[in-house]
Amino acid sequence: AYNIVSERLSVWKTNLRRNSYSGVYQTRKDALTMRAWTCHGRTQREMVDKLQQAGIIKSQSIRDCMASVDRANYVVKPPSGPYNDSPQGIGYGATISAPHMHAHALEEIVTYLQASAKKSELSVLDVGCGSGYLTACLGRLLNGGDCESNRQQQTLRGKVYGIEYMKELVDFSIENTKIADIDLLSQGVVTYQVGDGWKGLPEKAPFTAIHVGAAADSFPQELMMQLDVGGVMVIPVGPDGGVQNLYKVERLRNGDQFQKEDFTFDNLLGVRYVPLVHLNQNT
């Protein structure tokens, strides 16, 4: 059984700076800017509708892919309900981020995928895949399935790799995906495996996009070097318990050695996430 850590929305709103659950904004100003915490739904469709009405979901492709992956299959029966716009514990000190954070990350990524659509196959890495929800959304974004906009456009094709530092969470993601999104697994669109988020998945690089679902205390250079030129990384950066910000990092040019000048760094907003764990520090 998974050890559930449940927090009411009111607790997160009044204790934002003390919490360490993924996807929590550090300031009330950040939350109000994104109209976060208000997009609760009784169903997946209602939750997605509210995310769109709040201006967090902006594109039809993101609306479609999020609507086609039921969040209820990727949580551990939280008392607040699976469609509450807040982070929820999934055990082992991990969380599934709030829906508005998933929507925000997807919107930052999708334009880069579309810009690279002429490639024969795109490649996306989801670091800290947790329960598998965002990984499955990315899978639907790339290889349609029930995602209506992608079925019509037939433009995005590729694979998504989800990595986690604990085998139990990898198994959890696989079992969740099997419930209603098993075609993503059987067709090889989505794969999950144990991995160190700091080191990424070099054997599958370069990646058009990398999403990191935990806060790195510094920019992970080895992971950044796995971005393709023109690719994007969405990552929270900052110390555990300290000031953290969500960044969009774009790679401008190739190079054998890491050079900061080969990347751009766009500070998007303040957040609070669980720390990005080094695999060899957990036995």
Side-chain angles (χ1 to χ4, degrees):
Y2 289 91
N3 177 28
I4 309 306
V5 181
S6 298
E7 291 288 347
R8 296 288 183 182
L9 180 60
S10 60
V11 174
W12 271 306
K13 281 185 173 180
T14 56
N15 297 284
L16 292 180
R17 288 191 180 274
R18 290 183 293 166
N19 274 304
S20 59
Y21 299 101
S22 60
V24 179
Y25 292 98
Q26 288 194 54
T27 66
R28 183 170 179 81
K29 179 180 178 181
D30 285 330
L32 291 174
T33 299
M34 287 291 294
R35 294 177 63 185
W37 310 113
T38 63
C39 302
H40 320 299
R42 291 164 294 182
T43 65
Q44 179 79 15
R45 181 70 63 175
E46 184 177 19
M47 181 190 76
V48 171
D49 285 344
K50 289 187 176 181
L51 288 167
Q52 186 174 38
Q53 291 163 10
I56 300 170
I57 290 179
K58 301 178 177 66
S59 59
Q60 187 65 37
S61 58
I62 299 306
R63 173 186 168 81
D64 288 346
C65 78
M66 287 194 71
S68 67
V69 181
D70 194 339
R71 196 169 188 265
N73 297 331
Y74 295 84
V75 297
V76 193
K77 297 182 180 178
S80 57
Y83 311 114
N84 200 52
D85 190 17
S86 64
Q88 294 165 348
I90 57 174
Y92 301 99
T95 62
I96 177 174
S97 294
H100 63 261
M101 286 304 301
H102 281 154
H104 185 64
L106 288 165
E107 286 288 355
E108 292 294 338
I109 287 171
V110 67
T111 55
Y112 290 85
L113 297 179
Q114 291 169 342
S116 301
K118 292 182 180 180
K119 295 183 179 180
S120 58
E121 187 172 83
L122 303 175
S123 187
V124 178
L125 178 62
D126 187 17
V127 174
C129 58
S131 66
Y133 177 71
L134 187 66
T135 317
C137 287
L138 287 164
R140 291 293 177 212
L141 184 61
L142 287 184
N143 285 66
D146 293 330
C147 187
E148 180 63 28
S149 63
N150 210 15
R151 283 207 309 271
Q152 291 177 353
Q153 297 176 24
Q154 296 292 305
T155 55
L156 300 181
R157 287 289 179 264
K159 294 184 178 180
V160 184
Y161 303 91
I163 62 173
E164 261 295 347
Y165 75 101
M166 293 189 68
K167 184 179 183 299
E168 292 85 350
L169 289 174
V170 171
D171 293 341
F172 185 44
S173 294
I174 293 171
E175 292 306 310
N176 293 339
T177 307
K178 285 181 178 178
I179 295 172
D181 300 298
I182 193 171
D183 60 297
L184 295 176
L185 297 174
S186 61
Q187 295 174 14
V189 175
V190 166
T191 59
Y192 300 100
Q193 65 187 76
V194 174
D196 186 337
W198 288 88
K199 297 181 179 179
L201 208 59
E203 64 271 24
K204 301 297 183 181
F207 298 102
T208 309
I210 300 176
H211 168 263
V212 183
D217 53 25
S218 61
F219 286 97
Q221 296 181 9
E222 188 171 350
L223 189 60
M224 291 166 63
M225 291 294 286
Q226 294 173 33
L227 273 177
D228 200 357
V229 174
V232 66
M233 175 188 293
V234 176
I235 179 173
V237 178
D240 186 21
V243 175
Q244 298 176 357
N245 291 285
L246 189 69
Y247 286 86
K248 179 173 67 175
V249 179
E250 182 180 354
R251 187 167 192 178
L252 302 177
R253 61 186 69 89
N254 270 324
D256 295 332
Q257 301 294 325
F258 177 84
Q259 299 289 336
K260 185 177 179 181
E261 295 75 16
D262 292 340
F263 300 85
T264 62
F265 301 82
D266 186 7
N267 187 340
L268 300 175
L269 66 158
V271 292
R272 183 61 58 86
Y273 275 73
V274 296
L276 181 62
V277 176
H278 293 270
L279 185 59
N280 59 7
Q281 293 180 356
N282 286 266
T283 57

